[in-house]
Amino acid sequence: MSSEEKTGTKRLAVVTGGNRGIGFEISRQLALNGITVILTSRDEKRGTDAVDLLHREHNLSNILLHQLDICDPVSVASLARFIQTRFGKLDILVNNAGASGLLVDAEGLRALKIDPLTWTSGKAVDIIKEVILHPYDEAVRCLDTNYYGCKRVTEALLPFLKHSTSGARIVNVSSLRSELKRMPNEELRKKLSDIDKLDENRLEELISTFLDDFKNGRLEAAGWPSMLPAYSVSKMVLNAYTRILAKRYPDMCINCVGPGFVNTELNWNTGVLTPEEGARGPVQLALLPLGGPTGCYFDETSLAEAW
Ligand SMILES: NC(=O)c1ccc[n+]([C@@H]2O[C@H](COP(=O)([O-])OP(=O)(O)OC[C@H]3O[C@@H](n4cnc5c(N)ncnc54)[C@H](OP(=O)(O)O)[C@@H]3O)[C@@H](O)[C@H]2O)c1
């Protein structure tokens, strides 16, 4: 253990889903900024390969690996024990790991050559029907990863974030799909933006209603988003959770961010930004100065007014 680790002067970050895509880049850019990074990966081997690459080719020795499956409470508890024993505090948590809620014929999707504007505007909904399936089990997994997984990790690591002396930062990696204007049902939009009444119980009731409507083929009738429904709802709920946390912990900077349309496995490599570009927004929020914004949504590196 270095003397900085012992005295806790060096800032420490945890990045979930750090073995590839945007999470790998967030880990790299934070390490380049002198932060000690715990890169987490649900698969030990994929995580080791990622950390080896960062050590070897990027010459970054301030990155270490810990296994973390955000859907597995035992794995989350093991990470918390590791941080408690080795560092006793945490400065930055980047909740990046995410799941799409879909099964896709990747080649078929790429062959459609959907232009980025059609994709990000949501107008691709009819075009993609033949190459994308939305099984119920994948919807459940999507919510369990993108909302419950983030909550599980955050709750386990909050005790250490409270011990940060540099100002704790939580960054929830969200998506353009989280924007409430994409939710057709006005009542649901109101519920998700009513920060005075919102809490985790209300969010979880809403998730149950969504899954019930999903199972019973009522999504359209009930006014849920038609483009990537489970993914969209998971990120809308994640944004609301971000606001709840920011209100509860006013001394921390807790924000969510859409990284842009990034070329990663999550969108079967149809995105247009590089992972390096996609990581900029999350890294900016992880490194916010004291007194920086909290409870906000950023579209890449820009503060979004309405969301
Ligand atoms: N790419 C885009 O255009 C885009 C746009 C908007 C938002 N985002 C968001 O950006 C974040 C990163 O996505 P990406 O584009 O970099 O996708 P990606 O390349 O598919 O990476 C997703 C990462 O999440 C991990 N993961 C999934 N489930 C997990 C679990 N239960 N426990 C731990 N790790 C888990 C994956 O691990 P494995 O390698 O083990 O599968 C992988 O490391 C996600 O939250 C995504 O929703 C991406």
Side-chain angles (χ1 to χ4, degrees):
M1 191 186 289
S2 73
S3 62
E4 277 175 321
E5 279 180 20
K6 275 188 208 140
T7 55
T9 50
K10 188 151 186 169
R11 277 190 289 170
L12 177 69
V14 164
V15 180
T16 69
N19 56 291
R20 65 177 155 102
I22 301 168
F24 177 86
E25 261 304 314
I26 296 171
S27 304
R28 189 182 75 84
Q29 292 181 26
L30 288 177
L32 278 173
N33 276 280
I35 311 288
T36 301
V37 178
I38 305 176
L39 180 157
T40 67
S41 167
R42 67 176 154 180
D43 181 272
E44 203 80 54
K45 165 85 172 76
R46 286 197 286 270
T48 306
D49 290 348
V51 170
D52 282 352
L53 187 67
L54 290 164
H55 287 173
R56 211 180 45 245
E57 291 193 12
H58 300 268
N59 208 16
L60 291 164
S61 56
N62 50 334
I63 299 192
L64 50 153
L65 172 68
H66 202 281
Q67 191 277 342
L68 176 67
D69 180 341
I70 66 170
C71 295
D72 175 4
V74 175
S75 170
V76 175
S78 161
L79 174 68
R81 270 195 311 278
F82 172 72
I83 294 175
Q84 178 162 37
T85 314
R86 176 111 177 234
F87 300 96
K89 64 110 189 194
L90 178 65
D91 304 290
I92 297 165
L93 168 61
V94 184
N95 285 307
N96 162 78
S100 68
L102 306 169
L103 290 180
V104 169
D105 163 9
E107 262 183 44
L109 178 66
R110 281 192 290 272
L112 289 174
K113 293 195 176 17
I114 299 168
D115 70 274
L117 199 64
T118 307
W119 182 265
T120 51
S121 67
K123 289 184 184 145
V125 65
D126 290 324
I127 312 173
I128 60 178
K129 270 186 183 146
E130 283 181 17
V131 291
I132 290 190
L133 293 175
H134 301 260
Y136 176 73
D137 289 354
E138 287 298 317
V140 172
R141 195 161 75 87
C142 177
L143 268 308
D144 192 35
T145 308
N146 299 357
Y147 166 68
Y148 289 106
C150 166
K151 180 182 166 212
R152 213 172 270 129
V153 175
T154 304
E155 286 180 350
L157 302 189
L158 263 167
F160 312 115
L161 287 160
K162 288 177 186 166
H163 286 141
S164 168
T165 50
S166 56
R169 309 278 175 263
I170 301 176
V171 182
N172 293 331
V173 181
S174 186
S175 162
L176 269 189
R177 299 274 149 237
S178 71
E179 293 173 357
L180 290 180
K181 66 179 182 202
R182 297 172 193 271
M183 172 81 90
N185 182 318
E186 192 185 344
E187 203 184 315
L188 290 168
R189 275 203 307 274
K190 277 192 191 145
K191 277 190 185 164
L192 278 166
S193 52
D194 190 352
I195 186 63
D196 292 330
K197 290 206 189 117
L198 272 182
D199 59 18
E200 288 88 334
N201 287 337
R202 281 176 193 257
L203 289 184
E204 287 157 30
E205 272 169 27
L206 202 128
I207 292 173
S208 297
T209 308
F210 168 74
L211 288 174
D212 204 40
D213 286 343
F214 196 113
K215 204 177 212 168
N216 293 297
R218 287 195 301 256
L219 288 185
E220 203 179 331
W224 297 101
S226 49
M227 178 77 178
L228 315 182
Y231 185 74
S232 300
V233 170
S234 76
K235 296 296 189 180
M236 288 173 183
V237 170
L238 177 65
N239 284 12
Y241 180 56
T242 307
R243 284 177 144 162
I244 294 169
L245 287 176
K247 195 172 151 204
R248 192 173 297 152
Y249 301 105
D251 295 341
M252 301 183 185
C253 288
I254 306 175
N255 294 292
C256 45
V257 54
F261 189 34
V262 185
N263 192 339
T264 66
E265 288 180 36
L266 190 93
N267 53 31
W268 309 275
N269 298 98
T270 56
V272 291
L273 301 178
T274 62
E276 190 175 348
E277 290 165 329
R280 280 186 200 148
V283 168
Q284 172 184 298
L285 296 178
L287 299 177
L288 279 177
L290 279 175
T294 188
C296 299
Y297 169 71
F298 283 72
D299 179 5
E300 300 182 35
T301 52
S302 306
L303 180 66
E305 293 302 327
W307 48 290

